[in-house]
Amino acid sequence: MTEVFHIPYGDHPSQFGVLRMPGVSGLSPVVITIHGGFWQSKYGLEENDPLDEDLTRRGYATWNIEYRRVGEDGGGWTGTFIDVIDAVNHLPQLKERFPLDLSRVVILGHSAGGHLALWLASRINNVQTDEIGSTLLVPIQSVISLAGVSDLRKMWDIHEEQGGVSHVASFIGGSPHEVSIVIG
């Protein structure tokens, strides 16, 4: 029987994850899921519930993470990025309570969550000296981006061409030409 736990990894109301544990004996491999929604506060992690429920039925533990999003205090650059690292780095604490196999961790992100998953992959085996300064401490075996926003400059250009509001600009604090950060 699947067990579901709502667990904070920080103090902000959006710094939490939903851990689903399969009803199997022994250590469970972990799939970290990151939701999309153009990093906007109106979208939340519940969009990953059906996927996480299916993965858990198949024997995987899932850690469905929420993060500070645009429209929330601390959302966007750099807060969102810090949150996804902190959520992943919270796994060793979860292992103290739950039978998790941290040698078999996969990150799976959808849309904007796919962007964050790919960004996390860029930090594997690297000690960072950027504005964030956080190092990914948990070994990641694989990263899957489902329809990920993999090129923020291109997405910004698309929004500009359509004459719409750029979610990328809201997320990074300006256009890619104005903001001097590595945006992928």
Side-chain angles (χ1 to χ4, degrees), residues 19 21 27-32 61 63 87-106 137-142:
L19 179 69
M21 291 300 301
L27 297 177
S28 297
V30 180
V31 178
I32 300 166
W63 177 229
V88 173
N89 286 344
H90 194 70
L91 283 175
Q93 292 177 34
L94 295 178
K95 183 167 177 22
E96 293 174 9
R97 263 181 73 195
F98 302 99
L100 302 173
D101 184 350
L102 298 188
S103 70
R104 297 189 298 161
V105 176
V106 172
L137 302 175
V138 175
I140 305 302
Q141 298 305 302
S142 298

Side-chain angles (χ1 to χ4, degrees), residues 81-92 107 119-140:
F81 295 85
I82 291 168
D83 287 358
V84 295
I85 288 178
D86 288 351
V88 173
N89 286 344
H90 194 70
L91 283 175
I107 298 176
W119 179 80
L120 283 167
S122 76
R123 300 182 81 82
I124 295 173
N125 298 323
N126 292 319
V127 176
Q128 298 300 318
T129 57
D130 59 17
E131 294 90 342
I132 293 174
S134 299
T135 300
L136 191 59
L137 302 175
V138 175
I140 305 302

Side-chain angles (χ1 to χ4, degrees), residues 41-105:
S41 62
K42 64 183 176 180
Y43 301 102
L45 57 67
E46 60 280 344
E47 80 171 42
N48 285 338
D49 286 348
L51 173 65
D52 289 350
E53 290 164 0
D54 184 63
L55 288 166
T56 304
R57 279 192 298 273
R58 295 170 189 266
Y60 295 91
T62 60
W63 177 229
N64 187 11
I65 61 171
E66 189 57 271
Y67 50 89
R68 290 174 291 171
R69 290 148 287 147
V70 174
E72 295 180 305
D73 184 37
W77 176 259
T78 61
T80 298
F81 295 85
I82 291 168
D83 287 358
V84 295
I85 288 178
D86 288 351
V88 173
N89 286 344
H90 194 70
L91 283 175
Q93 292 177 34
L94 295 178
K95 183 167 177 22
E96 293 174 9
R97 263 181 73 195
F98 302 99
L100 302 173
D101 184 350
L102 298 188
S103 70
R104 297 189 298 161
V105 176

